[in-house]
Amino acid sequence: MAIMDPKKLVEGSAKHPQPGKVFQYGTAGFRMKANLLDSVVYRVGLLAALRSRKLNGQTIGVMITASHNPPEDNGVKLVDPMGEMLEASWEAYATLLANAATDEALLELYKKLSSDLKINGEAPARVIFARDTRASGSRLVGCLIDALEAAGAEHTDFKLLTTPQLHYLVRCVNTKGTQYEYGDVSEQGYYEKIGAAFKRAMKHRKSSGAVTVDCANGVGGPKLKELLKYLPTKAEGGVDIKVINDDVVKPENLNVQCGADFVKTNQRAPPSSTTKPLERCASLDGDADRVVYYFTSDENIFRLLDGDRIATLAASFLGDLGRQSGLAEHLKIGVVQTAYANGASTQYVESNLKLPVICTPTGVKHLHHAATRFDIGVYFEANGHGTVLFSPAALKAIATHEPQSPAQQAALETLQALTELINQTVGDALSDLLLVEVILAHKNWGMREWLDTYVDLPNRLVRVEVRDRNMFVAVDAERRLESPPGAQAEIDKLVGRSFARASGTEDAVRVYAEAATRGEADDLAGKVANVVRQFGAAA
Ligand SMILES: CC(=O)N[C@H]1[C@@H](OP(=O)(O)O)O[C@H](CO)[C@@H](O)[C@@H]1O
Ligand SMILES: [Mg+2]
């Protein structure tokens, strides 16, 4: 078994020197201008090897992507053995390694971490990795491989993948040959699994019309087109999926005037969109872990159906299936949101669907964790990142239940198909897209019916730049400011729901406001932003 080679580690590090910057592993791993990232990726590679050794050779994933960020950015993050985000306590080690000032200091830190964490240096280390379509991706893969070689880690390059595909593969590798086997360890295995599940979920159903999918000119484009080969055709009763913005030959077009983040942030369709009123549209982000839906109404008004809408749609459908299959008692469903979820969606889940809602801090790792508390945990961020988790007990109940009638049988089959269709490791735009399509087909709904389930409260999101965003410390799932002292009392004097929190990904404080009318929401956001400016300016 290979072990770390100190000489190689130092030489490799010298090829990718620390540029004299301070880095931090945040909500989305490390993310920045790609030309600053070489040393960071090298060091993340070392950490991946350490983490794998710590877990006795379980495979760790490394994804090189900057998601919805501009084409010149890139990023890197680690995936834990079951396909989850890196365990929080290890984020700090990633930060330490990234900031080691010299090649020798890096070697010393590697050794220190290895001994502090009681890592067996002779244990096997296994890492798999992939990247999105950014021009800088292949260079950064080179930095990663240098680190894995120096650390003596076995490694496999899965080339271009969506982020959720890599998460899927990590779980597949680590569950192979166990009773929890998640799927075949190949990109094709991913398509086969999802394709078969989709077919099963659509049995006896007809899709409700075409959907045009904007792929942000990112990796989701080619991967969705590949997935289509495994889905029933339109003639076979499948969904008519039109793929647009799938140009990955020119990576400079990535996320430019298109994609889920553009649509959500600007509350408008990509300018290139040519769809007609009421036509169903969806946008993925650059690494295909987010999806939002939208359409223009008869009155030519843009209507967004974001993560909150996907969550409410999924929760409502799963609730129906639980009742229809006779499993309701074994399938306690819950919804997990952040404070950015529209208040009307929360109200709809609690009052109409009569399901519990948990609010967590921003960042999918928090939502994911909270969702595991339910038999079926539906979690989505408003921006379209989310999934549905089935607990082991729920999976067992769904797999073994004896249906008492043909109606129960049909609902059970659909539930079984959904457990396979929905990516259990992380929010997955391709899987979520098909989930929405299945639900709309079952409910025989178009966009209008989906939208009409409830009316969103007018809201406003504002970004405020302050001297030091770390002054703003939020508590209670980020709904209240604990610091600076006195700021929350000022916000409490205003009418409507509003909160301010420091962004985890940008150097700014975000203010969210929601009120009965558009004007009141704008007014509230403006006033809270002023409170933030006032307290943020203080020494
Ligand atoms: C309001 C908002 O959309 N915040 C985003 C954004 O976090 P901030 O901490 O707000 O910058 O990026 C995160 C990572 O992609 C994502 O999880 C989150 O939803
Ligand atoms: Mg993304």
Side-chain angles (χ1 to χ4, degrees), residues 225-423:
K225 284 196 284 191
E226 191 58 30
L227 174 60
L228 291 184
K229 297 181 191 160
Y230 296 79
L231 303 181
T233 61
K234 199 176 143 195
E236 292 164 342
V239 186
D240 182 5
I241 297 179
K242 294 194 181 77
V243 179
I244 62 162
N245 297 331
D246 59 336
D247 176 10
V248 293
V249 178
K250 298 197 204 80
E252 63 273 23
N253 291 340
L254 175 67
N255 299 320
V256 177
Q257 301 279 306
C258 61
D261 198 62
F262 173 88
V263 170
K264 171 78 180 161
T265 311
N266 297 287
Q267 300 275 321
R268 59 161 298 182
S272 58
S273 171
T274 56
T275 50
K276 300 186 187 64
L278 298 181
E279 280 183 3
R280 188 150 80 246
C281 304
S283 283
L284 318 182
D285 74 339
D287 63 337
D289 60 1
R290 290 193 198 178
V291 60
V292 295
Y293 271 76
Y294 49 95
F295 70 106
T296 24
S297 69
D298 287 330
E299 311 83 46
N300 223 12
I301 298 171
F302 174 81
R303 296 294 198 163
L304 179 68
L305 291 121
D306 61 6
D308 299 343
R309 293 285 183 166
I310 301 175
T312 51
L313 185 72
S316 136
F317 186 56
L318 288 160
D320 292 345
L321 291 178
R323 282 182 291 276
Q324 290 160 5
S325 63
L327 275 174
E329 265 182 36
H330 301 278
L331 303 179
K332 296 274 180 269
I333 303 173
V335 175
V336 186
Q337 304 183 314
T338 70
Y340 291 104
N342 195 282
S345 72
T346 314
Q347 162 94 27
Y348 172 78
V349 174
E350 288 177 337
S351 306
N352 293 58
L353 304 180
K354 308 220 177 309
L355 297 175
V357 176
I358 295 180
C359 183
T360 72
T362 304
V364 277
K365 67 179 176 208
H366 300 293
L367 290 103
H368 188 100
H369 184 70
T372 61
R373 289 197 234 156
F374 299 104
D375 297 319
I376 300 183
V378 179
Y379 78 83
F380 271 87
E381 287 196 308
N383 61 32
H385 188 154
T387 190
V388 178
L389 299 183
F390 295 89
S391 72
L395 286 174
K396 188 158 176 225
I398 293 169
T400 58
H401 181 60
E402 297 281 350
Q404 307 295 314
S405 67
Q408 280 203 359
Q409 164 85 29
L412 190 65
E413 269 197 49
T414 307
L415 262 179
Q416 286 168 350
L418 293 187
T419 62
E420 302 271 305
L421 177 67
I422 303 171
N423 193 327

Side-chain angles (χ1 to χ4, degrees), residues 470-519:
N470 295 319
M471 282 173 64
F472 290 80
V473 181
V475 291
D476 185 21
E478 306 180 326
R479 290 171 290 194
R480 300 184 63 77
L481 281 176
E482 183 181 65
S483 158
Q488 188 59 46
E490 290 304 311
I491 297 173
D492 288 343
K493 288 180 191 159
L494 306 165
V495 181
R497 182 172 82 91
S498 185
F499 62 91
R501 59 172 275 279
S503 160
T505 61
E506 289 171 39
D507 192 12
V509 171
R510 293 195 206 283
V511 170
Y512 178 88
E514 194 175 86
T517 65
R518 163 98 279 145

Side-chain angles (χ1 to χ4, degrees), residues 28-48:
F30 293 106
R31 209 178 271 186
M32 64 200 80
K33 293 280 162 271
N35 58 4
L36 290 173
L37 210 56
D38 296 42
S39 68
V40 174
V41 171
Y42 183 80
R43 289 145 188 245
V44 165
L46 299 179
L47 188 69

Side-chain angles (χ1 to χ4, degrees), residues 64 74 131-132 134-143 145:
I64 297 179
N74 216 328
R131 61 187 167 90
D132 71 15
R134 283 159 209 274
S136 56
S138 48
R139 187 191 81 238
L140 294 173
V141 159
C143 305
I145 292 175

